Every structure is written in structure tokens, then in C-alpha cells.
Amino acid sequence: MTNSFTYHVIDFLLPVQKFAIQFSSVSQKRLSFVREFVLRLVNLAPMSNQQIATYFGMSNLELDVAISDLVDRDELTINDRGLLTLTAKSIDYFSESNESPLLSTIEESSINLCFDLATFSCVGSENNLKNKLNKRAGLYLKVDINNSSISEKLVEKNFQSQFYQIIENNYLPNYLNREDKPSIYSVNIVKKIKELLMRLTVEFKLDANGNEVVRDDFEYLLSSEVVHELMTVILSTNLKLDNKREVVDTMEELGDEFSNKVFESNEFRINPSYVIELNKFEEYSKAGRLTFLGPIYLKENRTKFLEIFSPIIDSRRKSTKDFSGDKLIWIAPSDPFWGKSINFIEMLSYINLHSRTKEKVLYQPTLFVPVGGVNDYDSFRYWSNELKQFDNVRGIKEGVFGGNVEIIYMENSFIVIIYHITKLNKLPITTPLGFISTDKNVVKLIGDKILTFINGYSSYDEPNDCGKITKILHKK
């Protein structure tokens, strides 16, 4: 049996800055063969020219060339007894731990690197962030404002302290696997050049008894604890009031007799092992229903969805029937954690992309997002920015099934219902619990309720369907 069960996935957006760094490194290199061994010999004891020539079997000419070169380099000199000896410079080539002389050289380099503003860990180049969505589809982590104002000083310090780790991570490609093993000598210039965000994907998990599993650490950050504390703050800020009783009422309203079977009878706690047992029953009974834990765009849940959705699309591609009037409706819940993942954007993109072929329309996808009404321009602007790459987004009056339910509905085909439950098992984030149904009666029963709400009015002159986001903002 699986040891843990993912009940949510959230992308957190950690502020990062990009810096231009100029620095000096020092490295130690081996000398040429003759140069090294002459110095090693003289290091043992001062010697005459003839002793060196005899030891190496050199001719007088070869010896003169070798000795002259070392004297010119200020690495050999003659003592008061007329013997060759090391200079102060060449004495520094030797150490107790290494009998071979090593020459220290200073190298000037420059690099652009990114550091997060919470732990000041080096995270490499801008390409490593892979965050084309910028601030969309994620929860923004607020770091200490002072970290940004003094970031250049902090990066100077952390670049030096992390220098070997930066090399090991291949963030300085020219330094990796070098035999001379460079070390930091000085940091000359650190200049902030860009504000960025790093996307941290976190899976929230339960064990088999429904207890929260400790979140995974981030191996590439100096302190996962600091970042997890920032996450805890933003989660507690966004978590809404307990809605368990309202969700149970909605289950009854929808005629859903199965979802509440995943709760322990003695207390309102979800037990993931009960979900597995319910799945076995659903498969055995062939009821056209599949219960799942977590958002629909969670990888394993998306796979389950596509097992139902893909055959429908394939059938429509081959059919000669006109499907241009058919709609696929996705209604978002009033849940601040909903859609805060790149997985959501990818799933919505998939649904839009497969809505048509070159020859025909297979269905018309529409995403409804909650707004306060037709004049709630703040919400319209928020959704317009959050979903700017999608044109088929409409506002819907907040309150569909109390705002606690997410719905994906394709008439005569399937329906997905997801309850977004707060403070379940005392968890720090909403717990999505849902099911997919292909039962025609269930699809029609719930589908009719949905269409009635969409086509209805919240007041005499205010429709629940508040219109297309882009058009509303354009009119304003």
C-alpha cells in the first residue's frame, strides 16, 4: 500500500535577484618537469651547479639554460657559500602537505548568477528558474524587505562562502573538474541587474491514517526551514473558515451518497485508505464513477480524467456529426489555493488545444471564475492577469454551491465534481476531494443544476454569468 497520499500541490514563488559578479580566484598549478624537479632538489639542500648536472645527467649548456631561467624567475639565488638555494618566492611553492612545488596564480572572472532573497542560496543562471509564468499560477512568498535593499552585500558574502558548492553545482562551468582547484581570492563587484521569481512546487501529503506528512526539503537551498516558515505564513493568511458542514450539505443536494464514505465515522476526518476502498467498490460496481483526492490537475488525477476525456475526443474527431454547439464548462471554486500550480495552466491549455481540429470544432471550452458581480472590476483585473493567455474566460457570480465546489461538465458525456474542504484533519490548506461520473443520470441531474445557475440571475438585473473577462475590462 502507498505510504503517503498527495492531497494538494501548490507552486510557491520565491523572490530571486540576478547579479553581475566580478571576482578573482587563486589556483595552484604544477610547474614544468625540469623546473619542478630542480626546485625540489634544491629544496632538500643548497647545491652546486655540478651536483645538479650530475643528478639530472645534463650537459653544461642544458644546465645553464635551466638555471638561468630559474634565476630570471627569482626562484633560485646563490648563497654566501656559492651554492644554489631557493628564494623567498620559491620557498612559498612548498608546503608540508605537498612536496611538489605549486605556483599560485590569480585569475579574473565574471559571471551572472541568481540568488534567492530568503536564504541567499545561489540557484545558478536565470534559465534554471524555468518560470515563464512569472507571478501567475502560484503563491507569492514575502521575504524581509531589508534583504532586497542590502542584497548586493549579502550576495558578496554568500558567493564567497558558497564558492565550492557553486563550482560543484556547475554554475561556474569553466571551473568544474579543474586540477588546479581554484579558491576564491576576492569579490570585486556585485551588481543587482534583475528581479525574478523561482517556482517551488510543493506536494502536500497525508499518511494512511490521514495525518499530515512533513513537507520535503529543498536540497538546493541553504535553509529549507526558512522557506517553509514563509510558506506557513502565506497559507495561514489565505485559509478560509471551516466549511465542512456546508460541503456535506452540498453532497446531499447533489445526491452524492459516496464521497462522505471517505470520512471516519467518529470524527470529520478524511482517511486516504478509505478512498482506495471506495475506488475498489466503484470499479467492482461499474457505476461509472471514480473518486479521487487532490486537485484534478494533480498528475495522477489528470491521468484518470484523460482516460475518460481522450476517448470522447478521439470519437468526435472521427465522427461526421457537428459538435460546434457542445460546451465544456469548467467552474472554479472560491478557493484561494485553486489553480496555484503550473499543472493547472497545462491542463487548461490541453483542454483548449484539443477543442478543435483543422476541420471542425469538437467542443467550446469555457472557464468560469468567481467574481462579486458585473461591477467587480478588481476581480476581473485579477483573473485577466492570472489567465492572460486564455481568451475563453468568463466571470460567474460567486456562490455556486457556496463557492466550495469546482465543476467540469460536458453535456451527455461526463461531470467532475470537486469539493474544496477547509480545515479538514486540521490541515493548513484546502483539501480537494472529488469524483468523475459518466453515469447519464448523474451527469444530467447535476448538469441541469449548473446550467440553471449560469443562466439565472442573482438579482433582478444582475445575471450570474457576468460576461467575458476581456470584454468587461475593455468596456470599462
Side-chain angles (χ1 to χ4, degrees), residues 251 259 262-263 270 291-293 417-419 421 431-435:
M251 290 177 181
S259 292
V262 304
F263 301 120
I270 191 168
T291 301
F292 59 89
L293 180 64
I417 295 293
I418 308 169
Y419 308 104
I421 313 171
T431 305
L433 171 68
F435 67 89

Side-chain angles (χ1 to χ4, degrees), residues 13-19 113-125 129 141 143-144 147-148 150-152 154-155 158 162 171 194-200 218-224 226-228 230:
L13 306 175
L14 180 61
V16 168
Q17 288 179 346
K18 182 178 178 180
F19 298 86
L113 291 173
C114 298
F115 288 76
D116 79 90
L117 296 186
T119 69
F120 281 90
S121 307
C122 179
V123 293
S125 70
L129 303 181
L141 297 177
V143 300
D144 188 335
N147 287 0
S148 179
I150 60 172
S151 60
E152 291 177 345
L154 293 173
V155 165
N158 280 275
Q162 299 174 49
Y171 296 156
K194 196 172 185 180
E195 302 279 349
L196 297 163
L197 291 169
M198 179 167 63
R199 188 169 291 269
L200 304 176
F218 306 102
E219 295 182 357
Y220 42 88
L221 296 179
L222 294 178
S223 173
S224 294
V226 169
V227 177
H228 280 304
L230 294 176

Side-chain angles (χ1 to χ4, degrees), residues 133-174:
L133 293 176
N134 198 13
K135 283 191 175 184
R136 289 173 287 146
L139 290 178
Y140 181 80
L141 297 177
K142 296 181 180 179
V143 300
D144 188 335
I145 191 171
N146 292 323
N147 287 0
S148 179
S149 61
I150 60 172
S151 60
E152 291 177 345
K153 289 184 179 180
L154 293 173
V155 165
E156 178 181 348
K157 174 184 176 182
N158 280 275
F159 179 77
Q160 294 182 72
S161 63
Q162 299 174 49
F163 187 71
Y164 291 115
Q165 187 63 50
I166 290 171
I167 293 175
E168 188 176 325
N169 291 342
N170 200 22
Y171 296 156
L172 294 171
N174 295 334

